[in-house]
């Protein structure tokens, strides 16, 4: 038994060729730590299969924004019998699968807000280690969940290769009718990595102020801006290719059509960062939310398949992924450490 963040954790370890999987529990949430010499990844098998933290070990830099204070809310709560109402309830931060966000299946419609059922439930898991010191094989974590109403079955494989985290996911429609849904990789960055020295490379230049459009309406063209001249919540104009200093200047949400399937964050002073790559046929947009308030300092860049912040607009333009009965789709996302910023 060890203590982390003041919480008692019971652990079991599996090792192989300099790599390790640690199984533990934090309150009622089953947790896995997948690590090698360069990266450590904290996975919440007991809550959404979330990737709760990614640490670059040579710099001891935490890459994700977390809300560790909310772990106490899960004490004595069984998410199998008492699941969360939506992905953001009692959020612990990190990187979540928000699926289905909005969606339609038969007479079932998810429209009030993005639900993200996959992030509200515990996932089953299996771990695989490099047996007999076989260095050709990597440790990996395999997770799966069956969603209760929207009949999607999800599998997620998480593994490490040197300085790269690889997440492979499959979704299958287990129902007897077609399923239409949105899917967001809800990845929020922060931790000890993020500050005003961080440069951001985007998969495009034009942004859409989707949240303001959803709330105010009007002509869509009025909400299109260049990433280098973004109207910020405090009334200033800012080049959002650079983070601002922590200073409580507000909260901003926007989307961008992905011209390429990658983005990067690079710390100029520490001379390292990371690049995220994905299949833009599956996720043709990114959703971004910038937070610089007394509640936190973070920047989320989230590959997704829709451009709006409302069900009405999403549904009107049919911005859904579609799976017929029995059909499945797979995709892969990679986060790789970089040591120079190539833009």
């Amino acid at each position: 038994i060890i203590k982390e963040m003041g919480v008692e954790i019971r652990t079991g370890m599996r090792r192989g060729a300099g790599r390790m999987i640690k199984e533990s529990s934090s309150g009622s949430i089953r947790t896995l730590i997948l690590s090698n010499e360069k990266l450590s990844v904290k996975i919440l098998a007991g809550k959404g299969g979330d990737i709760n933290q990614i640490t670059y070990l040579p710099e001891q830099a935490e890459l994700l924004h977390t809300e560790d204070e909310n772990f106490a809310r899960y004490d004595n709560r069984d998410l199998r019998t008492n699941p969360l109402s939506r992905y953001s309830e009692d959020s612990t931060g990190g990187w979540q699968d928000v699926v289905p966000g909005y969606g339609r299946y038969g007479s079932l419609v998810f429209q009030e807000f993005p639900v993200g059922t996959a992030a509200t439930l515990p996932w089953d898991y299996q771990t695989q280690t490099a047996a007999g010191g076989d260095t050709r094989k990597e440790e990996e974590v395999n997770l799966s969940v069956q969603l209760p109403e929207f009949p999607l079955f999800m599998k997620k494989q998480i593994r490490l290769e040197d300085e790269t985290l690889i997440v492979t996911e499959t979704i299958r429609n287990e129902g007897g009718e077609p399923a239409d849904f949105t899917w967001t990789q809800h990845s929020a960055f922060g931790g000890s990595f993020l500050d005003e020295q961080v440069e951001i490379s985007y998969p495009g230049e034009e942004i859409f102020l989707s949240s303001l459009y959803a709330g105010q309406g009007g002509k869509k063209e009025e909400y299109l801006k260049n990433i280098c001249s973004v109207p910020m919540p405090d009334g200033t104009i800012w080049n959002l290719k650079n983070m601002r200093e922590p200073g409580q200047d507000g909260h901003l949400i926007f989307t961008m059509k992905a011209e390429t399937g990658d983005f990067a964050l690079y710390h100029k002073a520490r001379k390292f960062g990371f690049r995220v790559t994905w299949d833009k046929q599956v996720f043709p947009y990114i959703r971004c939310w910038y937070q610089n308030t007394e509640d936190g300092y973070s920047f989320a860049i989230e590959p997704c398949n829709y451009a709006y912040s409302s069900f009405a607009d999403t549904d009107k333009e049919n911005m859904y992924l579609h799976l017929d009965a029995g059909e499945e789709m797979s995709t892969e996302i990679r986060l790789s450490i970089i040591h120079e910023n190539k833009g």
Side-chain angles (χ1 to χ4, degrees):
I1 300 176
I2 62 174
K3 296 267 188 175
E4 289 184 8
M5 301 296 294
V7 179
E8 187 175 273
I9 298 177
R10 297 181 179 274
T11 68
M13 296 185 182
R14 301 182 183 186
R15 298 179 182 272
R19 301 176 295 272
M20 180 177 71
I21 299 175
K22 181 174 72 174
E23 301 181 40
S24 63
S25 59
S26 178
S28 62
I29 298 177
R30 195 66 178 165
T31 301
L32 304 168
I33 306 293
L34 175 65
S35 61
N36 61 13
E37 295 87 349
K38 300 296 181 66
L39 293 170
S40 176
V41 180
K42 181 179 179 182
I43 304 159
L44 304 184
K47 179 190 169 296
D50 299 354
I51 295 176
N52 182 249
Q53 189 54 271
I54 304 168
T55 304
Y56 180 49
L57 296 174
E59 291 281 338
Q60 287 298 303
E62 296 172 337
L63 306 184
L64 296 180
H65 169 72
T66 61
E67 299 178 50
D68 295 331
E69 65 277 7
N70 283 338
F71 277 106
R73 297 177 180 267
Y74 294 89
D75 289 346
N76 303 314
R77 180 172 184 173
D78 185 349
L79 293 183
R80 292 189 184 278
T81 57
N82 185 22
L84 302 171
S85 62
R86 59 183 298 194
Y87 75 94
S88 57
E89 180 186 349
D90 294 335
S91 173
T92 52
W95 176 355
Q96 300 170 288
D97 274 291
V98 180
V99 60
Y102 298 126
R104 292 181 175 274
Y105 176 80
S107 61
L108 179 65
V109 182
F110 282 13
Q111 61 179 321
E112 185 176 353
F113 45 70
V115 179
T117 308
T120 70
L121 299 166
W123 290 44
D124 297 321
Y125 71 91
Q126 293 181 329
T127 60
Q128 178 174 309
T129 61
D134 186 349
T135 58
R136 295 171 299 175
K137 297 182 178 180
E138 298 287 341
E139 270 78 2
E140 64 185 46
V141 173
N142 293 281
L143 304 109
S144 62
V145 67
Q146 175 67 60
L147 306 190
E149 295 180 287
F150 217 101
L152 300 177
F153 178 75
M154 295 186 65
K155 296 188 296 183
K156 181 189 296 189
Q157 180 194 80
I158 302 173
R159 59 192 176 94
L160 299 175
E161 290 185 1
D162 193 32
E163 295 188 330
T164 297
L165 164 66
I166 304 167
V167 180
T168 305
E169 298 193 77
T170 299
I171 296 183
R172 183 170 65 248
N173 179 3
E174 296 277 276
E177 300 183 63
D180 295 294
F181 56 94
T182 64
W183 185 5
T184 300
Q185 296 292 332
H186 192 279
S187 45
F189 303 103
S192 59
F193 170 78
L194 194 70
D195 62 27
E196 67 275 11
Q197 291 292 315
V198 169
E199 298 177 327
I200 305 162
S201 301
Y202 296 87
E205 293 289 327
E206 187 176 73
I207 72 169
F208 174 56
L209 298 173
S210 57
S211 185
L212 286 177
Y213 175 73
Q216 300 175 4
K219 296 181 179 180
K220 295 179 185 177
E221 293 77 13
E222 297 174 355
Y223 298 89
L224 297 174
K225 306 293 180 182
N226 188 280
I227 193 65
C228 296
S229 55
V230 179
M232 301 300 286
D234 63 0
T236 61
I237 303 297
W238 185 257
N239 179 357
L240 258 181
K241 291 185 177 181
N242 301 285
M243 283 299 295
R244 302 183 85 170
E245 294 183 7
Q248 300 183 19
D249 67 351
H251 188 214
L252 181 71
I253 298 175
F254 60 90
T255 60
M256 174 186 286
K257 185 175 182 180
E259 301 298 333
T260 61
D262 70 296
F263 65 81
L265 279 72
Y266 182 79
H267 199 288
K268 294 178 289 186
R270 301 176 75 174
K271 299 189 183 305
F272 84 96
F274 56 89
R275 184 175 303 278
V276 176
T277 58
W278 69 92
D279 181 356
K280 71 184 186 73
Q281 298 302 314
V282 177
F283 302 115
Y285 297 91
I286 58 169
R287 178 172 307 278
C288 301
W289 54 267
Y290 164 90
Q291 178 180 243
N292 190 350
T293 70
E294 61 184 9
D295 296 324
Y297 180 75
S298 60
F299 193 66
I301 306 180
E302 308 168 352
C304 62
N305 71 293
Y306 65 115
Y308 295 102
S309 292
S310 72
F311 169 79
D313 290 310
T314 302
D315 195 60
K316 180 180 179 180
E317 298 200 18
N318 195 33
M319 283 190 165
Y320 296 121
L321 294 171
H322 178 88
L323 289 177
D324 289 325
E327 187 180 7
E328 71 176 35
M329 62 182 298
S330 297
T331 193
E332 181 180 279
I333 301 175
R334 293 180 174 234
L335 182 150
S336 301
I337 300 298
I338 57 176
H339 299 280
E340 59 179 326
N341 188 15
K342 296 181 179 180

